Amino acid sequence: MGSKSDIITLNIDGMTCQSCADSVRRALEGVEGVSVARVDLEAGRAVVFPENGSDSAHRLQQAVGTLGFRASVAGPQLPAGSHANDRAVETRPHPTTRPTDAEAHWDIKLTIGGMDCNTCAVGVERALRGIEGVEACRVNYATDTGFVRLQPGAAGAELVGDLRAAVADVGYEVLGTEPAQPDGGAVVPTPALSRESLRQAARERREKEAGGWLRRALIGLVLVVPIGVFELGPAVVREAVPIHGLLGAMLATVIMLYVGGPYYRSAWLAGRRLSTNMDTLIILGATTAYVFSLVLLGLALGGMIGGAGHTHFHEAGMILSVVSLGKWLEARARGQAGRALEGLFELGARQARILRDGREVEIPIDEVKVGDLLIVRPGEKVPTDGEVIEGGSAVDESMLTGEPIPVDKAPGDAVVGATLNQSGWLKIRATKVGESTTLAQIVRLVESAQVAKTRIQRLADRVASVFVPLVLGVALLTVVAWGLLGGDWSAGLLRAVAVLIIACPCALGLATPTAILVGTGQGARHGILIREPQALERAGGLGVIVLDKTGTVTEGRPSLTAVVPLDGGREEEVLRLAGSIEQNSEHPLARAIVAAVRERGTELCAVRGFEVLSGAGIRAELDGETWLVGSPALMASEGIDLDGPASERLAELVLGGQTVVCLAGPDRDGAGLAPVGLLALADRIKPAARDAIARLQDHHGLDVWMITGDNQATAQAVAQQVGLRPERVLAEIRPDQKAECIARLRQETGRAVAMVGDGINDAPALAAADLGLVMSSGSDIAIEAGTITLVGGDLMGVARAIDLSRAMVRKIKQNLFWAFCYNVVLIPVAALGYVPIIAAAAAMALSDVCVIGNALLLKRVKL
């Protein structure tokens, strides 16, 4: 690859199967100067690594056009030298810059109803890409949302009708539209539907969908029981039919119509696009067993065979019922996907106190305008982004930075909406409102990360595009061969039926869901809660894991770590004096000092003249003498000398990543104040953090990083304590940069990246990662943005989750291997006439037992 080359990303329209994608890849790699091409069928996108620069884009489009597909260049090009993995290439910039690719500039957000699987989402994407004026789009089945980017000059309002029609043409419905950017005024929300009502409608739709799958599964399982009694009971029952056979057929018909309805619809929609999916396999198996049983029952009623024959209505019903139970679990998981965004919206203040004509007036937050003067009292949320013009206070910005220590604010400082004013009075001028605020930007980051997340395409789904047509071809060939060569068309038809029964993909369909069901249950028993069952599959392929510092590696709250007496004092006396002065303060550092005093059983003194020095510390009187507790900056402003040994010890503590509080009291000659002691506080390392990180690095072979919004010195000190190399630390990273760092690591390493966090500020990164793991001690929003929750906040749970995932992935691969092997071996044997239909049905049932039994072995995995 030439050093000056650029990576070219193309949107490819018209691909319907993996064979199409392979043809496109070969055509692109056949263009002169192209070294490597990657084609993502599901995303409808190709990424090309040319050697002759970006001027080859036109020739690449021509090469794709010769195959009958349409190619268009997708967004700006990625600089050469970046690494891309084989699943997809995320054209994301370096974390120090804002995103500039298509993923970050969506213009329209669509709420889409009726999608049943990822194949549905792919079909909707292709339909939307075909609309004139649409430059790019992404559809997320998990959240029922679609994002559209318009070409320059395209009018969003005029396109909404075309977008709705395109989605309707492929069998789905646009339930709502809204702008995806704060300045997206050209696209108005759906008439009569506010964004809150859209979110409420989405919640109700998800609940209805999950309830529908559960009803289908339960009704199917209830009806399968009597069918099984009729078919698998004593011989006298089977021979007594025909009434029992008719009852079984009637019950099976109800299952096929009611339980199987969504599968038939999904398979039909895929068939319209000349494609197949997992539902195609499920329907093929269930319908084959059902139709064949109807034929046997008809022969029995006609007296051509004894009894009711060996019908297999229960097989058809069991396939649809068990898979519907898995669909219910999937729908429940998808129903949680939107809660992260809902929780983020709820963070903001509902009311604002505004100054009008010299009076304070409360108004709804939506009525605040840029330039308004707002009053924020202690204990209230900052209504919107602004600038402090009067007053001072400590503001808790943990929702933004994840750090537990409040930030001192004074006139001229910026404040962020939804942060908590802790102690002082503030007058601020609103600088950003509505969709332009920091909170709104975080919401959009989570939305964008969810829709752009690489979707896992299961092995069974990929094989289905080849397997189903192949089986049908073998069955047809069997009929023709026996009819033309053997002269026995009847025998050929019976052999073809045996092939279809042998090929019935119930074992293939159960291979993944059963392993996931057992794996998620095993995880729950060990404190590993899976929001998306597919997350365990993704966890097995991780190469990089990023740990948030605060609340993940550390405890997330300050604790006293050292007391340094000065000028011959005693530790106990320094701590007692500082605690007495701090006992009436609500500052987290003050609470930590007071807690340390009480843990040691020391009595606190009564103080007088308690005065909070906003953003600096406290002045108080003890026994008629003035004392001061606060930051080193406060000491300097009061003329208190920290030179000499005090300065050296202070520098040592700060370089060690600790926060230092100074205590000053009357000097010996009574002329002023002198330093009495230093108190060091820090966020303590969790007890199991070092062992957990060593296990992730050594046993699991993962590349472990730590990311934090804290300063570099503190971050490096923590990294040294837990055994991380200095170059694996990303410090002073803002929330929006965290998501970009995840994308950058994926791009540079070419490996799947996991994010472990617990704060609201981690939500975009958790959503952007291939796998998001959240400590249960974290915020609800972070938990909803992640895919695995670790009960108890123990970092060792990350290692256990990976152990479980790898064991589960092994079981899935074993199940798929035996299911495929079963078909590959027995299909030709059945075509040659060596497998009777009854034996074929028995073999099919045996394959189900093997797959389920193998999945149940996951219960023996030690975590």
Side-chain angles (χ1 to χ4, degrees):
M1 189 180 301
S3 60
K4 295 182 180 180
S5 64
D6 287 330
I7 295 175
I8 299 177
T9 305
L10 301 174
N11 288 327
I12 312 292
D13 292 333
M15 296 187 298
T16 58
C17 63
Q18 190 58 47
S19 177
C20 298
D22 291 339
S23 299
V24 171
R25 178 183 56 79
R26 287 192 293 268
L28 291 172
E29 291 181 345
V31 174
E32 183 180 358
V34 173
S35 58
V36 179
R38 298 281 185 263
V39 180
D40 186 342
L41 170 64
E42 189 175 5
R45 177 169 291 189
V47 179
V48 183
F49 300 77
E51 295 178 345
N52 297 328
S54 60
D55 60 347
S56 61
H58 179 65
R59 291 185 288 114
L60 296 173
Q61 291 174 280
Q62 286 183 323
V64 174
T66 60
L67 300 177
F69 305 112
R70 186 168 66 90
S72 59
V73 179
Q77 308 313 315
L78 187 68
S82 301
H83 298 282
N85 61 37
D86 289 342
R87 295 175 296 107
V89 176
E90 297 291 337
T91 55
R92 306 263 182 131
H94 189 275
T96 58
T97 64
R98 295 292 302 165
T100 58
D101 68 308
E103 306 294 355
H105 290 89
W106 303 114
D107 296 305
I108 303 175
K109 177 185 174 183
L110 307 175
T111 303
I112 301 171
M115 295 189 295
D116 294 316
C117 64
N118 276 337
T119 305
C120 302
V122 174
V124 173
E125 281 184 3
R126 290 172 181 158
L128 292 173
R129 286 198 197 103
I131 299 298
E132 184 177 356
V134 172
E135 182 173 331
C137 70
R138 278 293 179 92
V139 176
N140 191 339
Y141 161 59
T143 56
D144 294 324
T145 54
F147 286 77
V148 176
R149 190 176 80 170
L150 306 180
Q151 295 174 352
E158 297 176 2
L159 278 176
V160 170
D162 294 337
L163 297 176
R164 288 180 176 275
V167 173
D169 285 344
V170 290
Y172 309 101
E173 180 185 5
V174 174
L175 301 176
T177 61
E178 57 183 297
Q181 292 292 328
D183 56 352
V187 184
V188 297
T190 304
L193 286 179
S194 66
R195 292 185 179 181
E196 177 58 36
S197 63
L198 284 173
R199 290 195 293 271
Q200 178 62 31
R203 286 194 295 268
E204 294 174 354
R205 186 176 65 256
R206 290 192 294 264
E207 292 172 359
K208 181 179 179 180
E209 178 188 7
W213 285 119
L214 181 59
R215 284 193 301 274
R216 291 185 184 93
L218 293 178
I219 290 175
L221 291 172
V222 168
L223 296 181
V224 160
V225 172
I227 298 175
V229 172
F230 297 156
E231 295 182 342
L232 304 178
V236 64
V237 174
R238 295 197 305 272
E239 295 298 329
V241 207
I243 183 62
H244 286 169
L246 288 173
L247 288 175
M250 292 172 60
L251 294 176
T253 301
V254 173
I255 295 175
M256 296 298 292
L257 294 177
Y258 178 67
V259 182
Y263 300 102
Y264 279 109
R265 180 178 180 274
S266 175
W268 164 247
L269 290 172
R272 285 175 53 185
R273 299 188 298 270
L274 301 180
S275 181
T276 57
N277 57 21
M278 201 63 179
D279 290 339
T280 307
L281 297 177
I282 294 168
I283 285 303
L284 176 65
T287 303
T288 299
Y290 174 76
V291 172
F292 178 62
S293 298
L294 284 180
V295 172
L296 290 179
L297 181 61
L299 294 175
L301 294 175
M304 300 179 66
I305 59 175
H310 295 278
T311 54
H312 305 281
F313 290 120
H314 73 285
E315 288 280 357
M318 186 62 71
I319 293 170
L320 295 176
S321 302
V322 170
V323 176
S324 294
L325 190 60
K327 289 276 192 179
W328 169 63
L329 293 174
E330 179 184 0
R332 285 187 62 196
R334 292 200 306 119
Q336 305 298 318
R339 292 189 182 177
L341 295 178
E342 294 170 8
L344 285 172
F345 279 115
E346 293 170 0
L347 274 179
R350 294 287 183 268
Q351 299 285 322
R353 187 176 291 106
I354 187 171
L355 282 178
R356 284 185 177 171
D357 300 326
R359 296 185 304 108
E360 296 183 11
V361 180
E362 281 198 6
I363 62 172
I365 190 65
D366 293 338
E367 296 180 12
V368 175
K369 297 179 177 60
V370 173
D372 283 344
L373 297 180
L374 307 174
I375 301 300
V376 187
R377 294 173 178 170
E380 295 180 344
K381 287 183 178 180
V382 176
T384 190
D385 293 4
E387 178 185 356
V388 178
I389 61 172
E390 189 178 339
S393 180
V395 176
D396 180 0
E397 294 186 341
S398 59
M399 61 79 59
L400 178 69
T401 65
E403 301 307 319
I405 299 176
V407 179
D408 296 326
K409 299 294 182 180
D413 291 337
V415 289
V416 178
T419 56
L420 181 64
N421 179 29
Q422 288 201 327
S423 55
W425 175 90
L426 292 174
K427 180 191 288 187
I428 69 172
R429 177 184 290 111
T431 57
K432 295 180 181 179
V433 298
E435 295 298 303
S436 298
T437 62
T438 301
L439 179 61
Q441 291 172 13
I442 292 177
V443 170
R444 287 195 299 276
L445 279 170
V446 175
E447 283 185 319
S448 180
Q450 287 184 338
V451 77
K453 188 187 298 182
T454 303
R455 294 175 296 229
I456 301 299
Q457 189 177 19
R458 293 180 182 174
L459 176 61
D461 282 327
R462 293 198 298 267
V463 172
S465 62
V466 176
F467 179 72
V468 176
L470 179 63
V471 169
L472 294 176
V474 171
L476 180 60
L477 181 62
T478 300
V479 175
V480 173
W482 279 91
L484 295 180
L485 301 180
D488 191 345
W489 292 94
S490 177
L493 182 61
L494 292 176
R495 269 62 174 179
V497 170
V499 167
L500 290 175
I501 294 177
I502 283 289
C504 179
C506 47
L508 186 61
L510 291 171
T512 298
T514 52
I516 288 177
L517 285 171
V518 178
T520 52
Q522 183 75 345
R525 285 189 289 273
H526 289 83
I528 305 167
L529 306 181
I530 314 298
R531 189 171 66 86
E532 295 178 6
Q534 295 84 354
L536 286 175
E537 296 180 79
R538 297 197 292 271
L542 292 177
V544 180
I545 188 162
V546 181
L547 309 176
D548 179 57
K549 178 182 75 70
T550 306
T552 301
V553 177
T554 65
E555 293 180 348
R557 62 181 183 274
S559 301
L560 185 70
T561 57
V563 179
V564 181
L566 302 174
D567 198 20
R570 294 183 300 110
E571 285 190 20
E572 292 78 5
E573 184 65 11
V574 171
L575 183 59
R576 183 182 69 85
L577 290 170
S580 298
I581 296 170
E582 296 274 29
Q583 63 183 311
N584 294 321
S585 173
E586 293 299 319
H587 197 286
L589 295 181
R591 290 198 296 265
I593 293 172
V594 173
V597 174
R598 289 173 175 163
E599 284 177 6
R600 301 187 186 192
T602 304
E603 290 288 334
L604 295 173
C605 305
V607 298
R608 298 172 60 86
F610 182 86
E611 178 187 358
V612 176
L613 305 176
S614 181
I618 296 173
R619 180 182 285 112
E621 291 184 6
L622 281 170
D623 298 327
E625 295 180 316
T626 299
W627 290 77
L628 201 63
V629 173
S631 65
L634 175 64
M635 301 294 123
S637 67
E638 294 288 331
I640 299 172
D641 185 10
L642 290 175
D643 292 337
S647 177
E648 295 176 2
R649 191 69 174 112
L650 174 63
E652 181 183 338
L653 292 171
V654 172
L655 289 175
Q658 302 185 73
T659 300
V660 178
V661 174
C662 305
L663 172 67
D667 62 9
R668 291 179 178 178
D669 57 14
L673 297 177
V676 175
L678 305 176
L679 298 96
L681 300 101
D683 192 2
R684 287 180 178 172
I685 305 297
K686 287 186 175 180
R690 186 178 181 88
D691 292 339
I693 289 173
R695 181 174 172 182
L696 292 171
Q697 290 176 327
D698 302 334
H699 180 67
H700 295 103
L702 297 177
D703 189 6
V704 182
W705 291 67
M706 186 177 74
I707 192 168
T708 179
D710 211 340
N711 62 72
Q712 189 70 237
T714 301
Q716 291 294 346
V718 171
Q720 184 178 10
Q721 294 180 64
V722 298
L724 284 177
R725 299 198 300 273
E727 64 271 19
R728 291 292 185 267
V729 176
L730 301 172
E732 301 177 22
I733 304 296
R734 300 192 310 270
D736 55 336
Q737 292 177 320
K738 286 186 178 183
E740 295 168 11
C741 286
I742 295 296
R744 183 69 177 184
L745 285 172
R746 181 192 296 117
Q747 187 182 83
E748 291 181 344
T749 64
R751 305 171 75 186
V753 180
M755 172 70 189
V756 186
D758 79 324
I760 294 166
N761 62 300
D762 300 324
L766 289 164
D770 295 281
L771 182 70
L773 299 101
V774 185
M775 302 297 179
S776 63
S777 56
S779 70
D780 292 340
I781 293 163
I783 289 173
E784 296 300 343
T787 48
I788 295 179
T789 300
L790 306 174
V791 175
D794 184 1
L795 195 57
M796 194 63 75
V798 177
R800 288 194 290 267
I802 294 174
D803 284 335
L804 175 62
S805 70
R806 290 181 175 178
M808 190 205 68
V809 170
R810 283 197 301 272
K811 290 301 178 186
I812 290 176
K813 290 181 177 179
Q814 291 169 6
N815 284 350
L816 291 174
F817 171 79
W818 288 114
F820 289 137
C821 192
Y822 155 83
N823 283 290
V824 168
V825 171
L826 291 185
I827 284 177
V829 175
L832 293 174
Y834 294 110
V835 180
I837 292 177
I838 296 178
M844 179 181 66
L846 182 61
S847 68
D848 296 352
V849 174
C850 292
V851 165
I852 296 174
N854 190 45
L856 290 174
L857 293 178
L858 279 171
K859 292 184 176 181
R860 299 183 180 181
V861 174
K862 294 182 179 180
L863 300 177

